[in-house]
Amino acid sequence: MKKSRLFGFLTAGLAAAALFVGGVKTASADTTLTVGASANPHAIILKHVQKQLKKEGVNLKVKVYDDYILPNKALANGDIDANYFQHTPFLDNWNKKNHGTLISAGNVHLEPIAVYSKKYKSLKDLPKGAKIYVSSNTADYGRILKIFKDAGLITLKKGTKLASANFDDIKTNKKHLKFVHTFEAKLMPKLYESNEAAATVINANYAVQAGLNPSKDSIARESDSSDYANLIAIRKDEKNNKAIKKLVKALQSKSTQKWIKKHFKGAVLPAK
C-alpha cells in the first residue's frame, strides 16, 4: 500500500514538473512585441507580417497613433517596444529636441512626399504670389524645398544642407511663393480638400489615408531617397532584442518588400 501511494505521489510530481517546464517553454517562445504605428501604411504593413512572426514565436501587437508626437514619447517611456512611422531626419531631430537616445533598427519603406493641387496641373502653372500649405514638421522642409528647387522655382543659399534646411534658406523665389507652415501634418488632406491654397504638400501616409496616390494624384513628387526611408525605431538598450530582429527581418524580406510595392500601387515604395 505504501509503495503504491509513493508511486502515485512520484507520478503526480513528475506530471506537474512536466507541465511547469512546458509552460516555461511556451512563455519564453511566445514573446509579445508592441509596436506603435501610423494607421496607414505602417499598421497595415505590420499586420501583413503578423502571421509569419507568430510562427517564429513573436506575438506582434500594433498600437495605432494618429500623430507624429506621441509614438516617440511612448517608446522612450517604455509604453511600447518599438515604433514605425518616421524617417531618420525626423528621429534625429526628435532626439536633439528631447535629449533622446532612440535609434533605428532598420529601414522598411519610402513614402514620397508630394504636392497636390485642385487648381493647377504642375508647379510651373502656379501664379505669382501663390500660397503653398506645408505642415509644421520641420524635418520635411528640406524635402519640400528640393521639390521646388528641382522645378526651377526657387534657389537656396550657398552652403544650405537639406537635412536641416528651412524656408529662410531660400535665396531666390521667382514667383514669390508664400509657404505657410503652421499646420499639423495630419490636417493637410483636409486643407487640400478645402481648396484654400494654390497647392498643398502632404506626407504619403496621410495622403494614402485620404485616398490620394502620390504617383498619380500629385502635381509634383520628390525623387526616391533612402535618406527618408521609414524605419523601425527602438530604445538603445533593445538593439539586441531577438524579437525586434525577427520583426525587422520579416519587414525587409523580399516577399514583404514585393508585397508593399504591389499593395500600395506606387504610393509606398520598398526601401532601397
Side-chain angles (χ1 to χ4, degrees):
M1 188 70 180
K2 288 182 179 179
K3 288 183 179 180
S4 177
R5 187 175 296 175
L6 178 60
F7 179 77
F9 284 137
L10 288 171
T11 303
L14 288 170
L19 285 171
F20 177 75
V21 172
V24 171
K25 284 182 179 179
T26 302
S28 62
D30 197 14
T31 303
T32 296
L33 194 65
T34 303
V35 181
S38 297
N40 195 343
H42 307 80
I44 293 173
I45 295 171
L46 287 172
K47 289 176 182 177
H48 176 72
V49 299
Q50 273 181 323
K51 288 184 179 180
Q52 178 184 337
L53 290 171
K54 188 68 176 177
K55 293 176 182 178
E56 297 179 29
V58 179
N59 179 26
L60 177 62
K61 290 188 176 181
V62 182
K63 185 173 182 178
V64 175
Y65 292 90
D66 66 355
D67 62 32
Y68 292 162
I69 300 170
L70 295 178
N72 277 339
K73 286 185 177 180
L75 179 57
N77 293 335
D79 298 329
I80 55 178
D81 301 304
N83 69 40
Y84 177 32
F85 77 99
Q86 65 195 316
H87 49 60
T88 297
F90 185 96
L91 178 61
D92 290 344
N93 189 51
W94 188 90
N95 278 331
K96 185 177 180 180
K97 286 186 175 181
N98 297 276
H99 306 290
T101 57
L102 302 181
I103 61 173
S104 170
N107 294 335
V108 182
H109 75 269
L110 294 166
E111 292 182 14
I113 199 166
V115 186
Y116 300 82
S117 177
K118 288 181 175 291
K119 302 174 182 177
Y120 306 101
K121 294 183 178 180
S122 73
L123 292 183
K124 291 182 179 180
D125 292 337
L126 295 174
K128 289 185 177 181
K131 189 183 293 183
I132 314 297
Y133 279 170
V134 177
S135 84
S136 57
N137 183 20
T138 57
D140 286 331
Y141 290 173
R143 304 168 73 182
I144 297 166
L145 289 169
K146 189 174 187 304
I147 292 175
F148 285 86
K149 177 178 176 291
D150 290 347
L153 298 183
I154 64 170
T155 61
L156 301 176
K157 295 174 183 176
K158 188 176 180 180
T160 297
K161 294 181 179 179
L162 290 177
S164 57
N166 59 56
F167 297 101
D168 292 331
D169 292 314
I170 295 175
K171 182 179 180 181
T172 60
N173 187 342
K174 293 182 180 180
K175 292 194 174 186
H176 305 288
L177 302 175
K178 298 176 181 177
F179 294 92
V180 183
H181 45 90
T182 57
F183 313 101
E184 283 189 62
K186 65 181 179 181
L187 299 177
M188 303 315 292
K190 288 185 178 179
L191 291 170
Y192 164 69
E193 289 298 333
S194 73
N195 206 21
E196 294 176 4
T200 304
V201 182
I202 310 176
N203 288 81
N205 63 312
Y206 290 123
V208 171
Q209 287 180 43
L212 297 169
N213 186 315
S215 298
K216 299 177 181 179
D217 302 318
S218 67
I219 62 171
R221 196 191 82 169
E222 72 176 329
S223 58
D224 300 342
S225 170
S226 60
D227 292 339
Y228 295 100
N230 279 218
L231 54 86
I232 296 294
I234 60 173
R235 293 183 296 279
K236 189 178 289 187
D237 60 356
E238 293 287 351
K239 62 182 179 180
N240 294 318
N241 185 308
K242 292 182 180 179
I244 290 173
K245 287 185 176 182
K246 288 180 180 179
L247 169 65
V248 174
K249 185 177 180 180
L251 292 170
Q252 292 181 339
S253 68
K254 288 184 179 179
S255 60
T256 299
Q257 294 285 296
K258 185 177 180 180
W259 176 86
I260 288 173
K261 188 174 183 179
K262 183 179 179 180
H263 183 82
F264 294 102
K265 300 176 181 178
V268 179
L269 303 170
K272 294 180 180 179

